[in-house]
Amino acid sequence: MSKHESHAAEGSLRKLGRYPVLLLCILFFAGIFALDLATPDRERSELENKTLTQRPSLSLENFSAQTLNSFFNSYTQYVKDQVAGRDLWISFQSLVETTVFQKTQSGGILLGKEKMMFPRTFSLLSGETRTFPRNMAALESLAQRYPGRVNVMVVPSAASIYPENLPASAPVLDEAAYLLEIKNAVEGAGGSFIEVQPVLSSHKDEYIYYRTDHHWTTLGAWYAYDALCDALGLVPFDLSAHTAVTVENFYGTHYSKARTWNAEPDAITYYDLPNQLTVYTVTGAGMPESGETGKLYDLDKFGTYDKYAAFLRGNNGLSRIEGDGEGKILVLKDSYANSFAPYLTANYEAVDVVDFRNYNYGLDALIEENEYDQILVLYSFDSFKSDPYLYRAGIAG
């Protein structure tokens, strides 16, 4: 470098030194860029429970303005997903939003009192105005085909049980009115509707809903199960006679969306039961011939982010729990039933569980083959109003 060039460079640095904020910004972004280069890409964010965008490629063979625009859109998302320290940045953003700007919602989740999180559910969505009556019609058809055997339990959300913990003036859906519609439809068709709002409300001072997740806790499920036993004349599962195991540091689906900096983790409790669970390979209507038999819980899941998936080893199309009682019961469910179904081992010899997300057939062949003593439809209200697959319960034949 010549003497003239050296003096010019020194002059540029002195001029830059007059703007310390600009200099700090340049150093900061240069550091972030270098850190990004040194940090390997991640395939998944466990805290957000989402798959992260991977580095896109640009094909020169089909090069066009459209492919170029698509590449830049993908690359922008890639940079956002793979930025170094992503989890820390999200937590910092949450800290600023909730403390400085006093926001009471984040990521579509309402941030309530007692560290509780609630989904924003102000009214039925446009698609739900179609699925809700269709699902009610499916229950009516099922109850009419199997009179005296169909029991329906639709579980209210935590917002319905804890309205006082919602942010001030937060509008919420009037679930009670819709639950009454379901009750009238089921009972009018000859079925039984098990009301759980009263029993859950009477135990609201207990830990019956998770703070960071949309499910009820194992204790909340037991109170609802106890209501079912009362309706059917069954002796309930004795909690004190079984070993309870608690798994700490559970962050649920609400936390994945809200990512609040001060979230209080939940704890999951399950009962250590020896009962076996068979997950069937479903290839058609009726009872499958083969399946995989193993433990009631997938204990490895308790060591992952998605701890709730340990119950019933996930949302399988058709599975059977070997019980300690007599007779058979068929449970048609969403994931709320995953922590509920183990209690039924105290009452039935076989507890068959159908999840229509992975069971693509009607039920008549299955019911005829197994001659179930009872049929239980167990859904959360949120799933019931939106489930696009529950209509299969209403298909005859």
Side-chain angles (χ1 to χ4, degrees), residues 94-158:
S94 168
L95 173 63
V96 173
E97 290 179 345
T98 55
T99 57
V100 178
F101 298 109
Q102 298 293 300
K103 289 184 64 175
T104 57
Q105 59 177 298
S106 178
I109 298 297
L110 300 174
L111 309 177
K113 300 175 184 177
E114 306 296 330
K115 302 292 181 67
M116 292 191 73
M117 301 179 182
F118 306 91
R120 291 178 55 192
T121 309
F122 304 149
S123 62
L124 293 185
L125 301 177
S126 58
E128 294 171 346
T129 60
R130 296 185 294 273
T131 54
F132 179 78
R134 184 173 66 180
N135 288 345
M136 278 205 304
L139 296 187
E140 289 178 300
S141 173
L142 185 66
Q144 289 167 352
R145 300 201 314 275
Y146 302 99
R149 282 196 276 172
V150 175
N151 308 275
V152 175
M153 183 183 292
V154 180
V155 185
S157 69

Side-chain angles (χ1 to χ4, degrees), residues 13-231:
L13 289 174
R14 282 197 298 270
K15 289 180 181 179
L16 190 59
R18 298 173 188 173
Y19 305 96
V21 175
L22 176 60
L23 180 60
L24 287 174
C25 287
I26 292 174
L27 292 175
F28 173 79
F29 284 111
I32 290 293
F33 180 72
L35 193 58
D36 275 344
L37 292 178
T39 304
D41 291 349
R42 295 188 300 165
E43 293 186 2
R44 185 168 182 80
S45 169
E46 289 296 324
L47 290 176
E48 297 171 87
N49 198 22
K50 64 173 284 187
T51 300
L52 300 178
T53 304
Q54 301 300 297
R55 184 187 296 273
S57 59
L58 181 62
S59 173
L60 297 179
E61 295 180 1
N62 300 312
F63 186 82
S64 66
Q66 184 176 1
T67 57
L68 186 63
N69 182 63
S70 176
F71 170 80
F72 281 122
N73 287 338
S74 299
Y75 197 85
T76 299
Q77 186 60 48
Y78 162 76
V79 172
K80 289 171 60 179
D81 280 4
Q82 299 295 343
V83 64
R86 173 185 172 85
D87 294 337
L88 291 176
W89 287 117
I90 293 175
S91 295
F92 178 71
Q93 178 185 358
S94 168
L95 173 63
V96 173
E97 290 179 345
T98 55
T99 57
V100 178
F101 298 109
Q102 298 293 300
K103 289 184 64 175
T104 57
Q105 59 177 298
S106 178
I109 298 297
L110 300 174
L111 309 177
K113 300 175 184 177
E114 306 296 330
K115 302 292 181 67
M116 292 191 73
M117 301 179 182
F118 306 91
R120 291 178 55 192
T121 309
F122 304 149
S123 62
L124 293 185
L125 301 177
S126 58
E128 294 171 346
T129 60
R130 296 185 294 273
T131 54
F132 179 78
R134 184 173 66 180
N135 288 345
M136 278 205 304
L139 296 187
E140 289 178 300
S141 173
L142 185 66
Q144 289 167 352
R145 300 201 314 275
Y146 302 99
R149 282 196 276 172
V150 175
N151 308 275
V152 175
M153 183 183 292
V154 180
V155 185
S157 69
S160 183
I161 303 298
Y162 298 97
E164 70 279 5
N165 285 346
L166 288 163
S169 303
V172 293
L173 183 66
D174 182 10
E175 295 181 18
Y178 291 103
L179 291 174
L180 182 59
E181 281 190 58
I182 301 171
K183 170 183 168 67
N184 291 337
V186 169
E187 293 181 346
S192 173
F193 186 82
I194 312 298
E195 295 189 69
V196 294
Q197 173 103 29
V199 68
L200 292 175
S201 294
S202 68
H203 291 280
K204 65 187 301 180
D205 292 337
E206 302 174 50
Y207 188 38
I208 60 173
Y209 282 87
Y210 296 117
R211 290 179 295 272
T212 67
D213 193 65
H214 65 286
H215 292 103
W216 55 10
T217 66
T218 311
L219 180 61
W222 186 87
Y223 282 125
Y225 158 77
D226 189 52
L228 175 68
C229 288
D230 186 60

